[in-house]
Amino acid sequence: MKLIQQILLPLLVIIIIGLVYFVYFSPREGLGSFADFDTNNTAVKDIRVEVLQDRGISNNSFYVLDKTGRVVLVNADHIPQGIDTAKTVVLRGHLNKDSFHAHDVLLD
């Protein structure tokens, strides 16, 4: 019985930690969804989105598209060089009612 406790308990803890990591913390492929954001929460989260080049980029603002087809205006603190040729970017920020405030814009 003691052998089972010594083997089973650590194995169970490792499995639970692994599940939490792969479900919650692991990086996801593809585009993200703005539905994962809460407009009442100002926590900074990452999201990968497609840049809508045809709508233009001006005054640290541009439009993006998520995986559900939702188009959102992004107001960035700083836009990196090369965004005018980027297809996708990773935004780090939070969603407001009518726009996304990006603290960082990372080229993908």
Side-chain angles (χ1 to χ4, degrees):
M1 186 70 171
K2 189 172 183 171
L3 181 64
I4 292 174
Q5 289 177 343
Q6 289 177 345
I7 294 173
L8 191 59
L9 186 60
L11 185 62
L12 189 60
V13 169
I14 290 171
I15 289 172
I16 291 171
I17 291 172
L19 282 173
V20 168
Y21 173 77
F22 286 113
V23 170
Y24 189 73
F25 293 110
S26 67
R28 295 177 177 91
E29 295 296 322
L31 299 178
S33 173
F34 286 110
D36 297 337
F37 287 81
D38 181 9
T39 56
N40 296 322
N41 188 350
T42 59
V44 175
K45 293 173 61 177
D46 289 358
I47 183 171
R48 177 176 282 118
V49 291
E50 180 180 338
V51 179
L52 297 176
Q53 299 290 350
D54 57 336
R55 295 224 180 164
I57 299 168
S58 63
N59 298 332
N60 290 342
S61 296
F62 57 96
Y63 286 90
V64 295
L65 180 74
D66 72 353
K67 73 178 179 182
T68 63
R70 182 175 175 187
V71 176
V72 174
L73 172 66
V74 175
N75 295 313
D77 292 341
H78 172 72
I79 296 178
Q81 296 285 28
I83 194 167
D84 52 341
T85 59
K87 181 164 176 61
T88 60
V89 293
V90 175
L91 302 176
R92 186 169 287 152
H94 59 273
L95 185 64
N96 299 321
K97 289 182 183 178
D98 56 350
S99 65
F100 187 88
H101 179 226
H103 298 284
D104 288 320
V105 178
L106 308 170
L107 299 179
D108 205 19

